[in-house]
Amino acid sequence: MTIAYACVLFMGLFPYVAAGIAKKGFEGYDNSMPRQWLAKQTGYRARANAAQANLFESLPFFFAAVIIAHIANAPQTRIDLLAIGFVVARIAYLVCYVANWPTTRSIVWLAGIACVVAMFFQI
């Protein structure tokens, strides 16, 4: 397994970390209606839930970039470094979202997307 493929696996699971933060402590949690419960949350829980949605939304673009770069025989070291850059940016993104640092969050979001776009330029 390449480093980039390991990053794909990690990112496939990472949104569940945000979900865990959103549901931390399960105060009043209703497992029969989890989305309604999450919709009523405020503060860090609401931000973690929003981050979870954005993390899931970014996956197809990242997955496609890694797979297409591999198929096109782009230099593996560059693919790996850009994939690591994306993962680091998305971890920072979650931290910034939960901590309510919107400007920094936007900057690291942009850095993550830049890594994905850069992967396409390796082809």
Side-chain angles (χ1 to χ4, degrees):
M1 176 183 298
T2 67
I3 291 171
Y5 282 167
C7 290
V8 166
L9 175 60
F10 177 84
M11 287 309 303
L13 298 172
F14 189 59
Y16 299 107
V17 172
I21 294 168
K23 296 175 183 176
K24 183 178 178 257
F26 294 98
E27 296 168 21
Y29 183 72
D30 181 0
N31 197 41
S32 65
M33 301 182 81
R35 292 179 190 233
Q36 288 82 347
W37 180 83
L38 279 168
K40 295 176 187 173
Q41 299 309 301
T42 60
Y44 81 90
R45 289 179 193 275
R47 291 190 301 274
N49 189 45
Q52 171 194 202
N54 189 274
L55 289 167
F56 274 123
E57 291 164 1
S58 69
L59 293 181
F61 194 38
F62 173 63
F63 290 175
V66 171
I67 292 166
I68 292 168
H70 274 281
I71 290 170
N73 292 317
Q76 188 62 51
T77 302
R78 285 191 218 152
I79 298 169
D80 290 343
L81 289 173
L82 290 167
I84 290 168
F86 179 79
V87 168
V88 168
R90 296 313 268 172
I91 291 169
Y93 175 83
L94 176 58
V95 169
C96 291
Y97 218 135
V98 172
N100 199 22
W101 301 332
T103 302
T104 307
R105 181 186 83 219
S106 295
I107 292 167
V108 296
W109 178 89
L110 185 61
I113 292 302
C115 289
V116 174
V117 170
M119 253 188 260
F120 282 102
F121 283 98
Q122 302 307 308
I123 298 171

